[in-house]
Amino acid sequence: MNVVPELTVPASEFKDDGDPTTIEIVFVTKKSDGPSRVSEDGEVIFLYKASDKTQQKLIARAFEIRLARSESGT
């Protein structure tokens, strides 16, 4: 896991590191960047004022997405 403590671009413009073996956790400080969520490919977790419980759920979701992708070969 890689941590991005602060975005320098809007969340919609954030580019992941391109490494399929890592998950990036990005801390979002602006409400306009959206709610806490996992990217569609499971590569990035965006956290906006997320509780520990929410963080744990999103991390688990990211791994589920990645596992499903690896099983389907995509």
Side-chain angles (χ1 to χ4, degrees):
M1 287 196 181
N2 292 330
V3 175
V4 178
E6 187 176 338
L7 280 177
T8 57
V9 297
S12 61
E13 295 177 20
F14 179 77
K15 302 291 184 205
D16 65 53
D17 64 5
D19 184 347
T21 65
T22 63
I23 292 175
E24 291 182 276
I25 298 177
V26 178
F27 289 93
V28 177
T29 57
K30 296 177 184 173
K31 188 175 183 177
S32 62
D33 280 323
S36 296
R37 63 197 181 280
V38 178
S39 64
E40 286 186 26
D41 60 5
E43 297 289 327
V44 182
I45 301 168
F46 293 96
L47 298 176
Y48 175 72
K49 297 183 179 182
S51 67
D52 288 344
K53 186 176 180 178
T54 298
Q55 290 179 36
Q56 290 172 354
K57 284 182 179 182
L58 291 173
I59 290 168
R61 181 68 188 135
F63 279 105
E64 289 169 2
I65 292 169
R66 292 165 60 96
L67 179 62
R69 287 180 62 212
S70 71
E71 288 176 349
S72 70
T74 58

